[in-house]
Amino acid sequence: MGSSSRFNCCAILFCFTFLTLNLFASATIVSHDGRAITIDGKRRVLLSGSIHYPRSTAEMWPDLIKKSKEGGLDAIETYVFWNAHEPTRRQYDFSGNLDLVRFIKTVQAEGLYVVLRIGPYVCAEWNYGGFPVWLHNMPGIELRTANDVFMNEMQNFTTLIVDMMKQENLFASQGGPIIIAQIENEYGNVMSPYGAAGKAYLDWCANMADSLHVGVPWIMCQQSDAPEPMINTCNGWYCDSFTPNSPNSPKMWTENWTGWFKSWGGKDPHRTAEDVAFSVARFFQTGGTFQNYYMYHGGTNFGRTAGGPYITTSYDYDAPLDEFGNLNQPKWGHLKQLHEVLHSMEETLTHGNISTIDYHNSVTATIYATEKGSSCFLGNANSTSDATIDLHGTEYTVPAWSVSILPDCQNVAYNTAKVKTQTSVMIKKKNQAEDEPSSLKWSWRPENTDRTVILGKGHVQTSQLLDQKAAANDASDYLWYMTSVHLKKDDPIWSRDMSLRVNGSGQILHAYVNGKYLGSQWAKYGVFSDVFEKNIKLKLGHNQISLLSSTVGLANYGPKFDLIQAGIPGPVELVGRKGDESIIKDLSAHKWSYKVGLHGLENKLYSLDSPQASKWQEHDLPTNRMMTWYKTTFKAPLGKDPVVLDMDGMGKGVAWVNGHSIGRYWPSFVAEEEGCSIEACDYRGPYDNNKCVTNCGKPTQRWYHVPRSFIENDVNTLILFEEFGGNPARVNFQTITVGSVSGSGIEGDTIELSCQGQPISAIEFASFGDPQGTTGSFVKGTCESKDALSIIQKACVGQETCKIEVSKDVLGSTNCDSSIVNTLIVEALC
């Protein structure tokens, strides 16, 4: 492709942030026109899925990518996380789980393509949107606009990544797997407030990217005015109505949101398999050429990587592969079947003449016709009414809010609303290696706050309140703001009725006055300012005020999100009341002393190599005590199933296993009480993240992923820093495994059940006739075959996988009336 970044798209890409490809031995030519993507002269249907390498571990990558390929993906898509790779200016980290080259080569080894979203702004609910906070603190800088300081830094990092890929021959033009690169990210959503400087920056981004001569197309998502040769793409729950801004650009969907992220205090969002499949089928019905699932595997926000603020440690996203790498069934399987059908239509979808029949009431038929044959989509976007369509003299019933796909325009091979893959129910099992939690012996030590709470001693002093990003440079969640007030009896504010008022940023605040704890306050996701006010008793003379700000991630999205303050923006005021009169003393311009972090963090109490490791106490274990460190040892859970840490009983803090931070924990933050339904989610109608939610009134996140690679074979160490106060007595380790599987089908179908590596132990339910109910609560109907249960038990029990042909010949005759469609439902225990 030479130096051109143009892209002739003759392949329909399903970008699950994973892509299908044989080994890349020589240069691959990727081109595009307004119809499709072409790779090495062949028009392709391509599917992709997003996997973020830092949200898993290097040891997990091969399995995740293998399952992505098995799910029918052609490519893997990932962001590149600037703040992870350049935490300090010009000091880089590509080690361990940040080994981007290793990740891409792992994808390549599985025969998949890569879509590399360099950004370097990524959003992604990641801390500060992926920007290193040192950027914010550079003199004269303005982020994401025509600012020389910022653009120089952005170009330096982008060039670094591109050169790294080139050195390893990873672009398709070099024979590597990277077929698409992205610059910037969803800038069009927030561009307006930047004015003319925003447009100048956008043009600069395009020119800068193009000048890097990567030999593959560059894309800009959510950028309707993307300058050529950039290709603008769509992000959202539905992109069937999206039209590129150039007739020479293919219709591409970079983010099909398979679910949604979770925030502390928020409910668990879910998106049905039927609706995700509907959105994909509609996109290809309307001329789509590339589709990527965001996320295909969400993973975990280890350490301090979660943004928001208030994004949870889990980034499961209800993706086809769950947080731990397990198949999220039926979503994974239902989409796999869709991918197989779409790939089978590759020739007609990429070469066929397109015609559409409008049946009104949101019902359409789309025909892709070539000389060799035709393929059809029958779409019903009505959310309440099924439709009967007459196509070429044959009638087809299309359920509401679904698409039927007919690869030969005669036989329905797939309908998005008819799930014909198993549903898996995951369960948690106790650690079989020891009798937890009783076997866990805890020691403890207090967080030393004397220098801050009592003495007000810090490292830096100023006569103003500092944004926490400026004062802490993102070195820690914690920043102490400390000042003193000297009161005389004739001071106008002196009163028996006084309060401390702190205007905060919505992050966590702990207040201390004269060495005593005054109170705490926090907000929730989307709140960037709040007011803390408590009555206080001051004394004549010297009074010490110490405020601890505790961030829960930095803002990651919105116009000029980088300027949203963290910590205590102020003012900080003393309020004295005398009768109806209130007198305010503003302390904002007082001398403030600052200390970054906590004593225990400075001394690395979480590390096995800490020189303070011998000073833990084993007697008088405190509970519900703020600012306390806890330590225990545990045996590695048996087997290979994913491991989780049950934090039931704890407040809020940070956890480490063998020195590895598994992220922030906050089980005491209970999800909102309202909004959940006990009824099964109705897939019909437009989805948003408030539609299908669960977990009301329960801890936002109780269980925390501990990757197997963090765990040693023998003795392991768990260390907790408890910020709010909790009781570790119920803390324990568990494993995640498939507990039961179920499936259903009508005569002519084949049901396949798999316990994913373990045998089927029993058939909990089986009925062939007119059974009813949902997973976990199936019941027999009015009629059935008397032999079905014993036949299925014989075929399945003891097997890891079994296939059952749904027919009277196999399952026996039923006593059902002829008006009933004989249906088989099976639920098996693993």
Side-chain angles (χ1 to χ4, degrees):
M1 292 189 299
S3 63
S4 174
S5 291
R6 296 309 301 266
F7 177 151
N8 289 322
C9 291
C10 298
I12 296 182
L13 288 158
F14 283 76
C15 198
F16 305 90
T17 306
F18 293 78
L19 207 155
T20 283
L21 217 233
N22 293 325
L23 294 179
F24 312 81
S26 59
T28 300
I29 299 174
V30 183
S31 60
H32 76 85
D33 56 23
R35 176 66 182 274
I37 294 170
T38 299
I39 298 178
D40 274 347
K42 182 182 179 182
R43 290 183 171 182
R44 297 282 308 279
V45 167
L46 296 170
L47 304 163
S48 168
S50 294
I51 296 177
H52 295 158
Y53 53 98
R55 282 180 159 140
S56 54
T57 65
E59 290 76 13
M60 293 174 65
W61 296 343
D63 184 61
L64 293 173
I65 294 164
K66 182 175 182 289
K67 289 174 178 173
S68 299
K69 183 177 182 179
E70 291 172 350
L73 296 186
D74 302 297
I76 300 298
E77 181 185 278
T78 189
Y79 281 126
V80 179
F81 297 86
W82 188 357
N83 58 355
H85 293 303
E86 193 176 0
T88 301
R89 189 170 184 263
R90 302 301 182 265
Q91 295 181 25
Y92 302 105
D93 184 0
F94 291 91
S95 63
N97 301 336
L98 299 178
D99 192 338
L100 177 60
V101 168
R102 178 180 173 183
F103 177 77
I104 293 174
K105 288 185 176 181
T106 305
V107 176
Q108 181 179 19
E110 197 60 55
L112 298 180
Y113 295 114
V114 171
V115 177
L116 191 64
R117 305 177 74 183
I118 300 174
Y121 164 72
V122 301
C123 182
E125 293 71 58
W126 188 267
N127 192 49
Y128 210 42
F131 282 150
V133 172
W134 54 259
L135 276 177
H136 173 82
N137 297 322
M138 292 184 71
I141 199 167
E142 293 180 67
L143 275 56
R144 301 184 81 190
T145 189
N147 173 272
D148 287 342
V149 180
F150 171 69
M151 292 189 298
N152 287 340
E153 295 301 322
M154 176 175 167
Q155 184 166 5
N156 179 80
F157 182 74
T158 303
T159 304
L160 173 85
I161 297 300
V162 167
D163 288 347
M164 182 181 294
M165 300 301 104
K166 286 182 177 180
Q167 288 165 12
E168 298 291 335
N169 296 316
L170 292 176
F171 286 107
S173 54
Q174 303 171 293
I178 302 171
I179 57 168
I180 299 169
Q182 178 178 304
I183 195 70
E184 247 298 337
N185 188 46
E186 295 185 330
Y187 191 61
N189 292 354
V190 300
M191 183 175 166
S192 179
Y194 296 91
K199 176 58 177 172
Y201 164 67
L202 179 70
D203 292 340
W204 172 84
C205 286
N207 291 329
M208 185 268 289
D210 194 40
S211 72
L212 296 173
H213 305 307
V214 297
V216 301
W218 285 95
I219 60 174
M220 285 182 165
C221 62
Q222 295 293 92
Q223 196 66 54
S224 61
D225 58 347
E228 292 196 31
M230 305 295 110
I231 301 170
N232 71 307
T233 68
C234 183
N235 292 353
W237 281 301
Y238 309 95
C239 282
D240 50 283
S241 61
F242 167 73
T243 301
N245 66 353
S246 168
N248 297 318
S249 292
K251 182 173 178 174
M252 300 176 65
W253 189 0
T254 33
E255 291 189 15
N256 180 353
W257 302 328
T258 56
W260 201 241
F261 58 83
K262 188 163 70 167
S263 61
W264 298 114
K267 299 176 282 286
D268 287 5
H270 303 279
R271 188 181 182 193
T272 64
E274 295 95 325
D275 187 61
V276 178
F278 171 74
S279 71
V280 175
R282 287 281 291 179
F283 182 70
F284 283 93
Q285 179 179 0
T286 55
T289 60
F290 169 97
Q291 192 263 185
N292 178 73
Y293 296 102
Y294 186 99
M295 300 291 298
Y296 199 71
H297 165 72
T300 307
N301 291 314
F302 298 113
R304 301 175 51 249
T305 58
Y310 289 92
I311 298 297
T312 57
T313 299
S314 171
Y315 198 68
D316 180 85
Y317 220 88
D318 198 27
L321 297 177
D322 72 14
E323 178 179 2
F324 317 106
N326 298 309
L327 304 185
N328 178 10
Q329 294 281 43
K331 187 174 286 185
W332 182 87
H334 192 47
L335 294 175
K336 175 183 178 178
Q337 292 171 353
L338 171 60
H339 304 155
E340 290 171 350
V341 173
L342 288 169
H343 278 130
S344 76
M345 299 158 58
E346 187 169 71
E347 179 74 14
T348 52
L349 290 179
T350 58
H351 291 82
N353 294 318
I354 306 171
S355 60
T356 299
I357 302 171
D358 188 348
Y359 296 90
H360 306 294
N361 200 28
S362 301
V363 179
T364 56
T366 304
I367 301 98
Y368 288 77
T370 69
E371 292 180 356
K372 298 178 181 179
S374 300
S375 296
C376 295
F377 293 85
L378 308 181
N380 181 3
N382 190 294
S383 61
T384 56
S385 302
D386 295 350
T388 299
I389 293 176
D390 185 311
L391 180 68
H392 303 154
T394 302
E395 285 194 347
Y396 300 89
T397 299
V398 184
W401 203 256
S402 78
V403 176
S404 290
I405 305 177
L406 296 71
D408 59 0
C409 282
Q410 294 180 13
N411 300 291
V412 176
Y414 184 90
N415 177 269
T416 60
K418 297 179 180 179
V419 177
K420 297 184 178 181
T421 189
Q422 73 177 38
T423 295
S424 299
V425 176
M426 309 304 292
I427 61 171
K428 300 174 181 71
K429 290 187 174 181
K430 292 182 63 175
N431 183 359
Q432 301 297 316
E434 57 185 347
D435 186 19
E436 295 177 1
S438 61
S439 63
L440 300 182
K441 307 303 179 186
W442 293 92
S443 56
W444 72 284
R445 55 182 298 166
E447 166 64 22
N448 185 351
T449 59
D450 288 353
R451 288 182 59 81
T452 50
V453 170
I454 298 174
L455 302 177
K457 298 291 185 181
H459 297 145
V460 177
Q461 290 186 338
T462 68
S463 295
Q464 67 184 69
L465 292 167
L466 297 177
D467 183 340
Q468 187 159 339
K469 296 191 297 294
N473 205 31
D474 203 34
S476 174
D477 283 353
Y478 301 98
L479 178 66
W480 288 96
Y481 291 71
M482 298 165 286
T483 193
S484 60
V485 180
H486 192 86
L487 293 179
K488 297 181 180 179
K489 199 166 188 178
D490 58 356
D491 194 306
I493 202 171
W494 176 255
S495 165
R496 292 183 179 179
D497 183 6
M498 301 180 71
S499 63
L500 173 67
R501 181 186 296 162
V502 181
N503 289 269
S505 61
Q507 301 271 14
I508 299 170
L509 174 69
H510 304 295
Y512 300 82
V513 175
N514 291 330
K516 295 183 178 180
Y517 172 66
L518 180 62
S520 301
Q521 184 167 295
W522 53 89
K524 61 181 181 179
Y525 178 78
V527 177
F528 297 104
S529 64
D530 63 348
V531 178
F532 169 91
E533 185 164 5
K534 292 278 187 180
N535 290 332
I536 55 174
K537 291 183 179 180
L538 298 181
K539 60 187 179 181
L540 295 174
H542 179 85
N543 293 272
Q544 178 63 42
I545 298 174
S546 298
L547 308 174
L548 177 61
S549 171
S550 171
T551 56
V552 196
L554 300 177
N556 59 263
Y557 181 75
K560 303 187 179 183
F561 75 87
D562 52 296
L563 301 182
I564 296 173
Q565 290 197 310
I568 302 173
V572 176
E573 301 165 324
L574 292 178
V575 182
R577 298 174 182 84
K578 299 176 181 178
D580 295 333
E581 183 182 13
S582 293
I583 300 171
I584 296 175
K585 186 181 187 72
D586 192 342
L587 305 181
S588 305
H590 272 222
K591 182 189 291 183
W592 287 88
S593 183
Y594 296 89
K595 181 181 183 301
V596 177
L598 299 171
H599 184 268
L601 294 174
E602 277 186 357
N603 287 281
K604 298 183 177 179
L605 295 184
Y606 53 84
S607 171
L608 304 182
D609 301 325
S610 170
Q612 306 290 322
S614 61
K615 298 182 180 180
W616 295 83
Q617 305 174 40
E618 296 183 355
H619 55 83
D620 300 327
L621 184 78
T623 58
N624 301 314
R625 182 185 187 278
M626 290 182 67
M627 306 296 171
T628 302
W629 292 80
Y630 294 101
K631 177 181 178 181
T632 191
T633 57
F634 67 96
K635 293 180 180 179
L638 302 179
K640 296 182 179 180
D641 289 330
V643 177
V644 290
L645 177 62
D646 182 358
M647 295 296 286
D648 185 33
M650 299 304 292
K652 186 262 177 187
V654 188
W656 294 264
V657 171
N658 295 330
H660 300 280
S661 173
I662 63 170
R664 303 181 184 99
Y665 66 81
W666 201 346
S668 63
F669 206 148
V670 173
E672 299 153 332
E673 294 279 354
E674 303 297 326
C676 295
S677 173
I678 59 173
E679 302 296 328
C681 181
D682 187 347
Y683 67 86
R684 298 174 301 175
Y687 176 80
D688 67 43
N689 55 293
N690 298 306
K691 181 176 179 180
C692 300
V693 292
T694 61
N695 204 50
C696 287
K698 298 178 181 178
T700 307
Q701 186 178 349
R702 175 176 164 181
W703 290 276
Y704 298 80
H705 183 204
V706 184
R708 284 278 181 180
S709 59
F710 289 5
I711 300 174
E712 304 292 340
N713 289 329
D714 46 10
V715 179
N716 297 271
T717 301
L718 169 66
I719 292 177
L720 310 176
F721 170 64
E722 176 52 54
E723 182 180 331
F724 284 10
N727 185 352
R730 296 199 298 274
V731 170
N732 66 97
F733 290 86
Q734 299 171 7
T735 55
I736 304 280
T737 190
V738 182
S740 65
V741 296
S742 60
S744 65
I746 61 174
E747 285 192 82
D749 292 338
T750 297
I751 296 176
E752 181 174 353
L753 299 177
S754 173
C755 281
Q756 297 170 221
Q758 55 182 321
I760 294 171
S761 60
I763 301 301
E764 181 77 357
F765 178 89
S767 180
F768 178 50
D770 64 341
Q772 307 294 320
T774 57
T775 301
S777 57
F778 294 121
V779 293
K780 293 182 179 182
T782 59
C783 60
E784 67 170 348
S785 162
K786 60 182 177 56
D787 300 320
L789 176 59
S790 61
I791 291 169
I792 292 168
Q793 286 174 328
K794 185 176 180 180
C796 295
V797 173
Q799 305 296 315
E800 179 186 330
T801 300
C802 70
K803 291 184 178 181
I804 308 155
E805 181 183 331
V806 185
S807 71
K808 293 176 183 177
D809 291 340
V810 173
L811 300 171
S813 297
T814 71
N815 57 355
C816 298
D817 159 310
S818 60
S819 64
I820 292 175
V821 177
N822 287 318
T823 300
L824 173 66
I825 293 180
V826 181
E827 184 172 17
L829 302 182
C830 299

